[in-house]
Structures are given as C-alpha cells and as structure tokens.
Amino acid sequence: MDKELIIRSSSEDVDFALLKDGKLIELQKDEESNDFSVGDVFIAKIRKAVPGLNAAFVNVGYEKDAFLHYHDLGPKLPSLLKFTKRVSTGKLKDFSLKNFPFEKDIDKDGSIADVLKSNQSLLVQIVKEPISTKGPRISSELSIAGRYIVLVPFSDRISISQKIESKEEKDRLKRLVKSITPQGFGIIVRTVAEGKKVAELDKDLQNLLSRWTAMCKKLNKAHHPSKVLGEMNKASSMLRDIFNDTFTSIHVDDETLYYQIKDYVQEIAPNKESIVKLYQANVPIFEKFGIERQIKTSFGKTVSMAKGAYLIIEHTEALHVIDVNSGNRSNKANNQEDTALEVNIIAATEIARQLRLRDMGGIIVVDFIDMTSADNRQQLFNHLRDEMKDDRAKHKILPPSKFGLIQITRQRVRPEMNIKTQEENPDDIINGSEVDAPIGIVPKITHDLEQLFKKDYKKLTLNTHPFIAAFLTKGFPSTRSKWFFEHKKWVKVLPRDAYTYLEYHFFDKNGKQIK
C-alpha cells in the first residue's frame, strides 16, 4: 500500500489530496479565512448560562456564540478559572503548574449556573467548527496535540491509545511517559508512539510545553475574546496525524511550503526526508496526478463504481442516505445472491472512501442490495468495518438490519467537503442549465464499450456531441487510443451537431444502432 500526499498552493488557500495506491481518499482545504479550526484555543467571555440546556453560550469572536455544554467543562474547571484569572491579571508568572494549588473538582451531575457566570473569562478549545447555521462547539478541557503524545493541562492521568494492542508495549510506554510527565499535566499516548524511545517522547513533550508557555504569556495582554493558541498549519497537522512508513512521496508545488514540510518531516522522521519533492512542471499538480479527474467523478450525486454498479448519495441537514445499485449486472453472475454480494462488497469499499473524501458526518444510512444469506450479510459488515479502520473520525457501524440497511454514525467536526461537479450546458447557454462534466461521462462510454466488445462486435462507430468527440480523440495517448491498446479494436468516433451534450449512440458495421 502506497500513500502519497499532493499539496496544491494558491494565493488564498492550500489544497491537500491524500492518495492510496493512486486513488483519492481524502481531500482537505486550508483556508486563510478560517479562524476557528479544530484545536484552536481562545480566551473567551461567557455570554450567558442556560440552565434549561445545562450549557452556556460563549463569545469567542464568531458571528454566532459558541456552545459549551456542562459535560464539556471538565472536572478541573475551578482550577482552570483560577489559573486563567491569575495569569491574565499578571499575578502568576510561573506557568508550569508545579506549585499551583488545584481546586476541588466540579460535580459531574451539577448545574451550569453553579459554576459559570456571565462576563466570566474562560480558556476554551474548538472541538467542532462552525457548520451551517450553528456556531462552534467548544470545550474547556484543553489538550495540545503533538506527534507522539497529547498534553492535557490540569490533569494527572496517563492514557495509552487503545489501538496499541500489546499489553507489554502499553506498560512500557506508560512507564516511560510517567517518568517524564511534569506535575499538573496529564498525557495521552498516541498510536504512532508504539516502539518509540523515551528521548523521542521527551522531545515531543518539551515542544508541547513550549507551546503551552507561549500561550500563557499571551493571556496578560490578550483581548477578550481572541485566539491565544492556533493549531499548527494544515500541512504540519495533517502530517502529524497521518504520516507513517507507508508514505512513499509528498509533492508540493510551492517552494516556501516545500521547505516548511521538508523541515517538519526531517524532525518527525529523518529517514523519510527524501520523499518530500518540489513539483515544478508546467502541468498543474492536481492534473498531473489525476486528482482533478477523480474530483469530477467522485463528488456528484451519482458515483460510478467498478463493473457498472453505482451509488446514489442524497443529503439532508441531519441525515445522509446512500443507495447501492447493481446497474446492468443483475444477469451477469450465476445467481442473484452472488451478484448482490459482489456489488455490495465493491460498494462498501467505495462508501468508506466517500465518507472520508467528503468528510460526511452525522447519521449515514446505506441501502445495500438485499441478501438472504446471514453469512453474506456478516461478510459485508466485516468488510465495511475493515475498510473504515483507517478513518480518523470517530465512527460506529451497526450490523445490517432485516431490510439490508446499515446505519453509520460518523463524527463531524468541520463542514462537509462539497465540490461542484457540473458544468454549464453548451446546448442551453441562454437558460444557464448545467450538465455533468465530460470527464464524468467518459467512464460510462468506456463501460458500455467494454460490454459490446465482450459480445464480439467487430467494427464499432460511436456518435456523440462534438465536444465529447474531441475529448475522446485529441491528445496522445487519447482515450480512443487507450481503448485500442487495451482491446486491440479501433472505434470510429463521429461528431454529431444535432446531439445533446451527453447523448451518445453506438452503431455496428452495417450502420445499425446498437440498443
């Protein structure tokens, strides 16, 4: 399994495309205008406590107040409030927490009105970015993420990632981390820390303590509300969270960003520094690596899959529905059950990719093709679970229901990636209607062509709109040339002015249309 990270930079934002064996599995955008990213810490003002919701609305500087529920306050809230007040007024200059006296924990079933008051200053962290009509979701349980560990102020707990399975390794890491953890701080050990030495863990810890100190120094002069600790830039934070030995290359088209990423990779994985490459060709970087093509074909309402199957993806505010269709495969396999299982397995792989790619969250209901065999339903469930193992967002998958439905809940912490895949219809410029991009119809034509080749048609002619005809025949190797190299059969392509943009028909050697 090869993983590549392709980074495209423009004057306003940076796009990140993560490829797994050449296939796009994650797409993220780092916009300069986004001042409320997950992980950012703000010194904020309590607007008002609402006992009915057992929550408070907090002014973090966004147009809509942030939402802070009682359960997101954390048990050490009194200690945090006391520390924030003393540091903000300049009475406390030691930020180490070593000699800081902790207050009594709050009651886990208490009321918001008992612990927070209007106009009170509080350190909060963004846990969910503003989405749709809602302001950010925040927490006052602060944490600062590093490469191997996460630093948790006002805590004494040491936790080890559950993904580390070996008990011996868990015990080793716990022992090492305990020996270096400063008083007043807790540590969460991340999965990538497995097998690491104490020196590497300590270096990461010192870096996080420096960030904590830098944040505390800002509090004395900070305007309330304002950001006092920003998450590192998207390139570094992405590499921090997903980088591992399976990465084979990182391509960047901006020189400044290239050196930043090279320095960061040199710091976290010196032996991998050489995989960071500066892209300088004339062809746009996303086009060179086939990302533009994949974006055009992956973000529409209909998503084509292998062997003619396809997905229909519908969205509402709170729910996503995915319908699995076998296309024209129903009569291809030995029996209906085999067809259903084959299509469902292909669909499960694509659905796991789509959830990451679009960053879909909330409740997702998938309508798979009905299967009568309990073993087949279990095989499908296991396959979907395995495909979603690499998904960093918290998620839960329920087994198939009697109706063949699988329900998934997936954490949504930022707005869903939504990319326009349709283009202006050249046949209807006056009314401004839109149609699928030509890059999206080519796979459909290719699939139909392959089915005809299997039926042993000797000479085929394709009639299509002039734009599509040009798209298929221009350049080298053209799409038509690729058909010839693969099937050793030449297809005549004739442009037809009378056809609508996405209309096409095949004709046999006698000029008779093939239905």
Side-chain angles (χ1 to χ4, degrees):
M1 179 180 69
D2 291 341
K3 279 188 183 173
E4 296 176 285
L5 185 63
I6 315 300
I7 303 172
R8 176 178 68 181
S9 178
S10 67
S11 57
E12 294 180 353
D13 45 44
V14 182
D15 295 311
F16 301 86
L18 181 62
L19 305 181
K20 180 179 173 182
D21 294 329
K23 198 156 190 180
L24 182 65
I25 60 169
E26 206 166 312
L27 187 66
Q28 290 194 29
K29 187 181 287 287
D30 185 15
E31 299 172 301
E32 283 190 2
S33 58
N34 186 12
D35 294 324
F36 298 90
S37 299
V38 173
D40 288 349
V41 178
F42 286 76
I43 181 73
K45 282 271 189 187
I46 307 297
R47 183 90 74 184
K48 63 178 176 181
V50 185
L53 297 172
N54 206 16
F57 287 99
V58 182
N59 178 16
V60 293
Y62 188 66
E63 58 194 66
K64 297 209 169 172
D65 288 340
F67 184 79
L68 178 62
H69 194 273
Y70 186 87
H71 291 147
D72 293 323
L73 293 174
K76 301 292 185 184
L77 177 71
S79 302
L80 176 64
L81 286 169
K82 180 181 174 184
F83 178 83
T84 305
K85 186 175 181 180
R86 292 187 63 188
V87 172
S88 297
T89 55
K91 292 179 181 176
L92 183 64
K93 296 284 199 298
D94 179 13
F95 311 131
S96 68
L97 303 183
K98 187 177 182 181
N99 300 312
F100 182 77
F102 280 22
E103 300 293 305
K104 185 182 176 185
D105 290 2
I106 61 171
D107 182 2
K108 66 177 181 177
D109 297 316
S111 169
I112 195 90
D114 295 336
V115 293
L116 290 180
K117 296 176 178 58
S118 296
N119 289 321
Q120 205 168 10
S121 290
L122 175 67
L123 278 172
V124 295
Q125 189 164 32
I126 306 288
V127 294
K128 194 172 183 179
E129 292 177 15
I131 297 174
S132 186
T133 59
K134 300 172 184 174
R137 180 84 183 252
I138 56 176
S139 169
S140 59
E141 273 197 288
L142 307 182
S143 62
I144 308 173
R147 169 73 174 149
Y148 303 118
I149 61 175
V150 178
L151 184 68
V152 186
F154 306 100
S155 174
D156 55 5
R157 290 186 59 193
I158 293 175
S159 309
I160 311 292
S161 167
Q162 293 181 348
K163 290 183 180 178
I164 297 177
E165 296 175 355
S166 165
K167 187 179 182 302
E168 290 78 9
E169 179 61 9
K170 281 185 175 180
D171 291 341
R172 183 189 77 88
L173 286 169
K174 197 162 192 173
R175 191 172 62 251
L176 290 181
V177 169
K178 211 168 188 176
S179 68
I180 60 175
T181 303
Q183 190 178 331
F185 291 90
I187 296 285
I188 301 169
V189 179
R190 307 184 73 173
T191 311
V192 288
E194 191 170 4
K196 300 301 175 187
K197 296 177 181 177
V198 68
E200 294 172 281
L201 301 178
D202 187 55
K203 183 181 177 183
D204 203 24
L205 173 63
Q206 296 308 318
N207 181 39
L208 296 178
L209 287 170
S210 298
R211 294 184 68 198
W212 165 258
T213 303
M215 182 198 78
C216 292
K217 285 178 179 176
K218 291 181 182 178
L219 292 179
N220 190 17
K221 296 176 182 176
H223 173 71
H224 297 210
S226 67
K227 187 191 293 189
V228 289
L229 178 66
E231 177 64 292
M232 61 174 67
N233 67 61
K234 181 74 82 172
S236 299
S237 65
M238 223 179 150
L239 287 170
R240 178 195 68 197
D241 293 339
I242 66 174
F243 188 83
N244 56 37
D245 290 338
T246 62
F247 270 74
T248 53
S249 59
I250 300 170
H251 296 272
V252 196
D253 67 353
D254 179 79
E255 194 168 0
T256 305
L257 198 55
Y258 162 74
Y259 285 114
Q260 286 178 9
I261 291 170
K262 197 172 178 69
D263 289 345
Y264 186 70
V265 171
Q266 206 278 330
E267 186 181 320
I268 63 173
N271 60 322
K272 285 278 187 178
E273 184 190 357
S274 59
I275 71 170
V276 184
K277 300 178 176 74
L278 179 62
Y279 181 81
Q280 295 177 302
N282 292 327
V283 180
I285 189 167
F286 269 22
E287 203 171 306
K288 170 70 175 176
F289 289 92
I291 296 165
E292 290 290 5
R293 176 184 291 270
Q294 294 192 54
I295 289 172
K296 290 278 189 185
T297 55
S298 299
F299 277 89
K301 178 181 172 182
T302 303
V303 178
S304 299
M305 300 185 295
K307 302 185 178 179
Y310 62 96
L311 304 175
I312 301 289
I313 302 177
E314 300 273 9
H315 304 267
T316 67
E317 179 71 22
L319 185 73
H320 303 281
V321 180
I322 302 176
D323 185 35
V324 178
N325 294 274
S326 60
N328 55 7
R329 282 197 52 73
S330 51
N331 58 355
K332 297 292 190 300
N334 295 331
N335 59 61
Q336 196 172 345
E337 184 76 7
D338 290 346
T339 302
L341 177 61
E342 183 183 18
V343 172
N344 283 340
I345 292 293
I346 293 169
T349 303
E350 182 60 28
I351 286 164
R353 171 178 171 254
Q354 286 289 330
L355 296 185
R356 283 183 74 179
L357 194 54
R358 302 183 188 217
D359 208 1
M360 291 162 64
I363 300 170
I364 300 118
V365 179
V366 186
D367 183 11
F368 283 100
I369 298 170
D370 288 350
M371 296 186 294
T372 54
S373 164
D375 288 343
N376 286 347
R377 289 197 296 270
Q378 185 62 43
Q379 184 182 339
L380 170 64
F381 176 64
N382 293 340
H383 181 76
L384 180 60
R385 205 168 46 184
D386 290 342
E387 288 294 318
M388 290 190 67
K389 267 183 183 175
D390 288 339
D391 195 334
R392 290 177 292 139
K394 291 178 184 175
H395 61 271
K396 188 171 185 179
I397 309 170
L398 296 182
S401 70
K402 290 180 181 178
F403 302 111
L405 302 177
I406 286 185
Q407 297 173 68
I408 304 168
T409 58
R410 188 175 183 274
Q411 183 187 35
R412 179 164 63 173
V413 297
R414 55 181 60 87
E416 183 181 326
M417 181 70 73
N418 191 14
I419 291 176
K420 186 178 175 183
T421 59
Q422 293 196 314
E423 297 178 359
E424 190 178 88
N425 183 358
D427 294 322
D428 190 22
I429 294 173
I430 295 172
N431 295 319
S433 65
E434 294 183 330
V435 291
D436 291 338
I439 207 168
I441 198 171
V442 172
K444 294 178 186 176
I445 295 175
T446 301
H447 175 262
D448 288 349
L449 194 63
E450 287 171 348
Q451 301 306 311
L452 294 176
F453 282 151
K454 286 177 184 175
K455 294 176 181 176
D456 211 27
Y457 280 96
K458 298 297 181 189
K459 289 184 178 179
L460 286 173
T461 301
L462 169 64
N463 289 9
T464 184
H465 189 281
F467 283 10
I468 306 298
F471 188 89
L472 294 171
T473 57
K474 301 301 179 187
F476 185 83
S478 66
T479 303
R480 180 171 59 176
S481 300
K482 290 176 183 175
W483 293 339
F484 178 74
F485 293 146
E486 187 172 347
H487 302 285
K488 303 297 183 286
K489 292 178 181 178
W490 187 254
V491 179
K492 190 175 182 180
V493 179
L494 292 179
R496 289 286 181 249
D497 294 341
Y499 279 21
T500 59
Y501 191 46
L502 300 183
E503 182 183 355
Y504 64 93
H505 298 288
F506 288 102
F507 294 83
D508 63 17
K509 62 181 180 180
N510 299 317
K512 187 178 178 182
Q513 185 176 330
I514 302 168
K515 298 292 185 184

